Amino acid sequence: MPQIPKSPVLEEVLSANARYSVAFGDKGQLALPPARRFAILTCMDARLDPAKYAGLSEGDAHVIRNAGGRATDDAVRSLVISHKLLGTLEWFVIHHTNCGMELFADEVMGDLLEDNLSTAQFDGKTWSNPKHGGGCTAGHFIQWHTIKDQPASVLQDVRHIREHPLVPGYIPIYGFVYDVRTGRLEPVEAATAAGRPTAVT
């Protein structure tokens, strides 16, 4: 059997997991449904720690993450499962300031990928590839869900979720923008208003 190649990052992760599992205690007895019965849709940005900014412990809530925290088909799929099979009754849509999804447009991403698949560089204004060749045109056929205005994107996502035919009208959906400079959740009142329940259980 071939050995898994070891990298410093892999070693760090496995070492951290070993320490974590030693002190795991009775967390193995946690129930499958989230104890606090809510879900968060937020960005994958490494600066965001939903467990800390929302006061979560293991087993408390569902956290669904993607680039931008957008209400994509897969995010809605997860939210519907979260409610239908696991009982969440309130949902949060949380975008954030200084998001990478504000720094490019779909056409830019498609062009970069068509040229080359390696990591691109950003000079503060434009993206470019340090290497060329070996790209693929498939990037032009993906909707990347970029963001031009954070409160507007939160409102758009909350509306999309609220209007989805598989989302019950009795689930409240709250909209926020997380400020990466302060750690505060700033409410997007229009989004939360759009996410008000439209029915009762």
Side-chain angles (χ1 to χ4, degrees), residues 26-46:
D26 60 1
K27 291 175 186 172
Q29 305 305 312
L30 288 171
L32 179 61
R36 293 172 61 188
R37 303 185 76 182
F38 71 89
I40 295 172
L41 170 59
T42 196
C43 186
M44 67 184 190
D45 192 296

Side-chain angles (χ1 to χ4, degrees), residues 6 15 21 23 55 60 72 79-81 85 111 116 135 140-141 156 174 188 199:
K6 296 294 177 88
S15 178
S21 64
D60 276 352
T72 60
L79 287 169
V80 170
I81 291 170
L85 302 182
D111 289 345
N116 183 268
H140 291 291
F141 298 91
Q156 183 183 49
Y174 314 115
V188 181

Side-chain angles (χ1 to χ4, degrees), residues 2 10 19 28 59 66 69 73 77 79 84 88 91-92 98 104 119 122 138 147-148 153 157 159 164 172-173 184 196:
L10 176 59
R19 292 191 300 272
N66 64 32
D73 288 348
R77 176 189 72 93
L79 287 169
K84 182 65 178 177
T88 59
W91 296 344
F92 292 74
N98 191 228
F104 68 99
T119 302
F122 187 61
I147 293 171
K148 292 181 180 177
S153 69
D157 283 357
R159 281 180 173 159
H164 198 284
I173 308 163
R184 291 185 61 84
R196 284 191 190 121

